[in-house]
Amino acid sequence: IMWEKTAIAIPITASIREKVKAQIEAAMQTEKKPYWQAAQFYNEYEKNSAKALEYASKAVEANTKAFWMWLYKARIQKDMGDKAGAMVSAQKSLELATAEKNDDYIKMNEELIKKLKDDGIFVVAVEQDDRSIPFTLLPNNLRLPVALVVGHETTGVSKEVLDLADLIVELPMFGINKSINVWGSLAIIS
């Protein structure tokens, strides 16, 4: 406040963090849970990465095509030291952002994936491709940690993700079928 030649500073503070936290906790008791908002709150205001990751994981389960949520989850995983998990989440986000033609998120995911690879994540994609080798020829001395990437059972791993992989392997198929379900593929490869 100021009048004539006198100025007085009156500090005004408002602590809304506890109110927001209480509102989130109350909303979590309802049928429509705000997982996405809770993930952001716990990550950015509470600095509780474990709780943020829990809610980010539930948010992407509830909205599997939300590429922005997948990227957010990847960043939390990276900050927590789960680089392999961050790689998988970032690749999922990249695949979805590419399908939606969102150039900003494509770029952000590519940057995160490059950073993770620079930090030592070896990416193995499981897909039938001109560049793939049979999984039985996987080298025994793969650099760890390894991120295994599998795609949608119908559409497979996107070209953008394949281009970022260090190695592409395939499961040799005989007969009519040309694919194995995702969980089966992961079980065989790992």
Side-chain angles (χ1 to χ4, degrees):
I1 299 176
M2 189 169 165
W3 65 94
E4 293 186 18
K5 295 181 181 180
T6 305
I8 299 174
I10 302 173
I12 299 174
T13 59
S15 177
I16 62 164
R17 191 162 91 188
E18 291 306 316
K19 286 182 181 181
V20 172
K21 185 176 181 179
Q23 289 173 346
I24 288 173
E25 288 173 358
M28 286 300 182
Q29 304 306 314
T30 67
E31 195 165 309
K32 187 172 179 176
K33 297 175 179 12
Y35 293 126
W36 170 236
Q37 293 83 356
Q40 294 175 85
F41 174 79
Y42 281 102
N43 188 49
E44 296 168 25
Y45 294 100
E46 291 288 302
K47 306 298 183 206
N48 184 338
S49 298
K51 193 103 168 157
L53 180 58
E54 174 190 343
Y55 287 135
S57 296
K58 289 179 180 180
V60 296
E61 284 175 25
N63 189 353
T64 58
K65 296 193 184 285
F67 52 87
W68 59 94
M69 291 183 196
W70 281 101
L71 177 60
Y72 197 80
K73 178 182 177 182
R75 288 176 173 162
I76 295 170
Q77 289 170 306
K78 177 185 172 288
D79 291 345
M80 292 179 72
D82 179 12
K83 293 177 183 176
M87 180 68 78
V88 171
S89 295
Q91 288 172 329
K92 178 70 174 175
S93 178
L94 175 62
E95 198 169 298
L96 294 168
T98 301
E100 292 294 321
K101 297 177 176 56
N102 188 306
D103 293 336
D104 293 334
Y105 273 84
I106 290 170
K107 182 179 178 190
M108 286 187 282
N109 279 294
E110 287 174 342
E111 288 170 356
L112 179 57
I113 290 168
K114 182 184 180 320
K115 173 82 171 107
L116 289 166
K117 285 177 79 170
D118 290 347
D119 288 349
I121 301 292
F122 192 81
V123 180
V124 177
V126 182
E127 184 61 75
Q128 294 172 334
D129 186 80
D130 294 339
R131 301 166 284 178
S132 62
I133 64 169
F135 88 98
T136 53
L137 299 178
L138 268 172
N140 291 335
N141 61 346
L142 282 180
R143 180 172 40 99
L144 294 177
V146 172
L148 292 174
V149 180
V150 293
H152 187 275
E153 291 174 21
T154 304
T155 58
V157 178
S158 72
K159 179 191 177 317
E160 292 78 15
V161 172
L162 290 174
D163 291 343
L164 292 170
D166 294 305
L167 184 63
I168 305 169
V169 298
E170 69 178 74
L171 297 168
M173 302 293 296
F174 303 99
I176 297 171
N177 287 338
K178 292 290 184 191
S179 70
I180 296 176
N181 77 30
V182 171
W183 292 110
S185 296
L186 276 174
I188 292 168
I189 296 292
S190 57

